[in-house]
Amino acid sequence: MRKVYTKINSIAGNVVTLNASNVSYEDLAIVESDHGSSLAQVVKLNHEEVSLQVFQGTKGVSTGDKVRFLGHPMQVSFSDNLLGRVFTGSGKPRDGKSDLQDNMIEIGGPSVNPSKRKIPENMIRTGIPMIDVFNTLVESQKLPIFSIPGEPYNELLARIALQAEADVIVFGGMGLKHDDYLNFRNTFEEGGVLHRSILFVHTAADPLVECLMVADMALAVAENFAVKQNKRVLVLLTDMTAFSDALKEIAITMEQIPSNRGYPGDLYSQLAMRYEKAVDFEGSGSLTTLAVTTMPGDDVTHPVPDNTGYITEGQFYLRNGWIEPFGSLSRLKQMVNGKSRDDHRDIMTACIQLYAKCKESREKQSMGFMMSSWDEKLLLYGERFEKEMMSLAVNLTLEEALDGCWKILSSIFEPQEIGISSKLIEKYWRSGE
């Protein structure tokens, strides 16, 4: 039986401080007051002075209330019973079903030793041409979706959940509006993927500290499905900026010396600890991570996207309702797009080069310059490419998307104008309609 402490030294915001021994960082505790009990987590240690972030807040907590340490960090149940369930950021049921306490595992453990990792070699198809054709998602990859508030990033994430080739989907929502949470849940249920999905959701009305636990819970469960059950697991997180803002708020409460724009100095390490969980296990399953990062003011130099870019293997830029081809990059795409179809790399390169030239022709047009017949072709191509490939409403298999690219090219250009080898042109060229 662990010792119960009955004296709290100070209360600041939702943080209580007391003297205690044999306590570790991130250990859990129960704070008992006349108004009930609440879970708390150790967020700072200074010799025997311990600071706890109280999940339900410190309203009603007094300096004479009881604190009982549990002797372990946050844990979550792991079993097939998790599938089809929705939980809070503290692992409690959000769907009204029974609590799960079997096979408890700790969250937030270290990432896999790089020497034990397998070289990525398998594509994850999503049915979205701007991903499958132009910035292929690869198993074990870690990619952010950079976006500004107002873009349909949550809708994109939900669609990827419905269509991506994965055995298990683990969703982590941080700081979500209640309507956004319901949209995710309804989309998963109506799309027929809820039975192979697990949702950990922190809404804006939930305790702040739970926001920090969502990613760790999702990744701990995903890692166990990959290792112990050889599953291909896709982890979808939104929004890592909300996660980082929660880190900043707690750091300010703890009076830590702020770094860039008030974020804690260990922001890079905190983000890397989560992203580096993505891995392809030798002789086992894989864990792939896609995480939304909203950029305040569309500022890519903001500390959250700036630090993220040094950790991840590329990024998707979501702008104007579609995945922007010039800012987006999948650094691992060359590992798989040479194995998909023999024309994949060539058609990808040709289409993006022609679209870049289209942008130049649009600038000429906007400045009132005389347009040549080549410019007119490029303008027509840009309209077709945006409508038939870039639009997020388009849903095509990889093969259908590649054929669609050939159809667009052959209906506008001559074979010698697109910069693709004659061998591939002979095999795939289509007559324009």
Side-chain angles (χ1 to χ4, degrees):
M1 186 72 178
R2 299 187 68 86
K3 183 178 179 180
V4 176
Y5 296 85
T6 57
K7 181 183 178 181
I8 295 174
N9 297 340
S10 64
I11 302 172
N14 293 325
V15 175
V16 300
T17 302
L18 68 154
N19 290 338
S21 57
N22 299 321
V23 176
S24 299
Y25 183 66
E26 293 189 344
D27 272 4
L28 295 180
I30 301 292
V31 179
E32 299 176 356
S33 68
D34 293 338
H35 298 270
S37 61
S38 174
L39 203 61
Q41 186 178 41
V42 176
V43 293
K44 183 180 179 181
L45 292 172
N46 184 14
H47 300 290
E48 289 197 347
E49 188 177 71
V50 180
S51 296
L52 295 164
Q53 177 84 17
V54 183
F55 283 32
Q56 300 301 328
T58 55
K59 185 177 181 180
V61 176
S62 67
T63 56
D65 287 336
K66 297 177 181 178
V67 177
R68 177 168 55 89
F69 290 91
L70 302 183
H72 60 77
M74 177 60 75
Q75 297 177 326
V76 64
S77 173
F78 170 72
S79 71
D80 286 342
N81 294 328
L82 290 171
L83 296 171
R85 297 292 306 274
V86 186
F87 302 91
T88 67
S90 59
K92 299 299 180 184
R94 190 182 282 277
D95 51 13
K97 299 180 182 178
S98 61
D99 194 5
L100 298 178
Q101 296 294 329
D102 57 315
N103 192 27
M104 301 297 288
I105 59 173
E106 291 188 1
I107 70 172
S111 56
V112 177
N113 187 325
S115 66
K116 302 294 184 182
R117 301 181 181 210
K118 179 183 173 185
I119 296 176
E121 59 182 8
N122 297 314
M123 172 184 179
I124 298 180
R125 295 174 179 242
T126 65
I128 301 172
M130 290 308 296
I131 295 178
D132 292 355
V133 177
F134 299 99
N135 284 290
T136 312
L137 180 63
V138 183
E139 270 189 45
S140 81
Q141 196 165 12
K142 45 188 182 290
L143 278 178
I145 300 174
F146 288 164
S147 177
I148 62 172
E151 292 285 348
Y153 50 83
N154 283 335
E155 290 83 351
L156 173 61
L157 214 59
R159 183 176 165 199
I160 290 173
L162 297 184
Q163 300 180 180
E165 294 177 332
D167 300 322
V168 177
I169 305 291
V170 183
F171 172 78
M174 292 163 279
L176 291 182
K177 297 177 182 177
H178 193 70
D179 287 348
D180 288 334
Y181 151 57
L182 291 178
N183 286 336
F184 272 111
R185 180 174 174 175
N186 292 337
T187 300
F188 280 44
E189 193 166 10
E190 294 168 4
V193 299
L194 187 60
H195 71 283
R196 59 184 177 92
S197 302
I198 306 158
L199 285 72
F200 294 95
V201 177
H202 167 268
T203 69
D206 294 333
L208 181 69
V209 69
E210 292 187 11
C211 183
L212 301 180
M213 296 183 177
V214 166
D216 287 339
M217 286 204 167
L219 291 165
V221 167
E223 195 170 51
N224 274 267
F225 270 109
V227 174
K228 296 179 180 178
Q229 297 192 14
N230 299 337
K231 301 292 188 182
R232 295 182 302 165
V233 187
L234 177 61
V235 177
L236 304 174
L237 303 174
T238 180
D239 161 10
M240 293 304 286
T241 301
F243 167 84
S244 303
D245 288 343
L247 281 174
K248 178 168 70 171
E249 189 168 337
I250 290 178
I252 291 171
T253 302
M254 303 308 302
E255 299 182 350
Q256 294 181 12
I257 298 174
S259 183
N260 190 5
R261 303 199 199 184
Y263 287 93
D266 67 343
L267 177 62
Y268 177 90
S269 299
Q270 293 285 355
L271 293 170
M273 283 170 58
R274 279 79 189 180
Y275 280 111
E276 290 296 340
K277 289 282 189 176
V279 62
D280 200 346
F281 296 96
E282 185 70 44
S284 193
S286 65
L287 192 164
T288 308
T289 300
L290 272 179
V292 170
T293 297
T294 52
M295 302 185 295
D298 200 15
D299 181 11
V300 74
T301 67
H302 183 276
V304 181
D306 185 43
N307 279 279
T308 300
Y310 289 102
I311 302 166
T312 55
E313 295 145 346
Q315 66 281 321
F316 295 147
Y317 274 97
L318 188 61
R319 286 199 181 101
N320 303 314
W322 55 46
I323 296 173
E324 184 66 36
F326 300 123
S328 300
L329 171 66
S330 169
R331 292 193 178 94
L332 300 185
K333 64 185 178 184
Q334 68 272 14
M335 308 293 290
V336 297
N337 61 16
K339 306 174 185 176
S340 50
R341 209 169 82 171
D342 58 351
D343 61 329
H344 189 161
R345 290 184 179 178
D346 292 80
I347 204 74
M348 171 185 68
T349 302
C351 285
I352 294 301
Q353 286 178 342
L354 288 169
Y355 188 63
K357 294 176 181 178
C358 166
K359 302 281 275 189
E360 295 174 358
S361 296
R362 286 176 176 174
E363 289 181 9
K364 289 172 59 178
Q365 186 181 48
S366 67
M367 296 172 66
F369 287 100
M370 184 177 294
M371 305 300 289
S372 65
S373 59
W374 174 244
D375 289 320
E376 297 294 342
K377 283 186 177 184
L378 291 172
L379 292 176
L380 177 58
Y381 167 76
E383 292 178 7
R384 291 276 305 273
F385 185 70
E386 289 173 350
K387 180 180 178 181
E388 299 176 33
M389 291 295 138
M390 289 178 61
S391 172
L392 293 181
V394 177
N395 183 33
L396 299 170
T397 66
L398 172 65
E399 290 73 21
E400 289 171 343
L402 291 171
D403 290 342
C405 289
W406 280 108
K407 183 178 179 181
I408 295 172
L409 294 175
S410 61
S411 65
I412 299 173
F413 301 103
E414 297 298 322
Q416 64 272 18
E417 294 176 324
I418 63 173
I420 295 180
S421 68
S422 57
K423 180 180 179 181
L424 290 175
I425 287 176
E426 290 175 6
K427 185 174 181 180
Y428 292 106
W429 191 259
R430 305 280 193 274
S431 297
E433 297 180 356

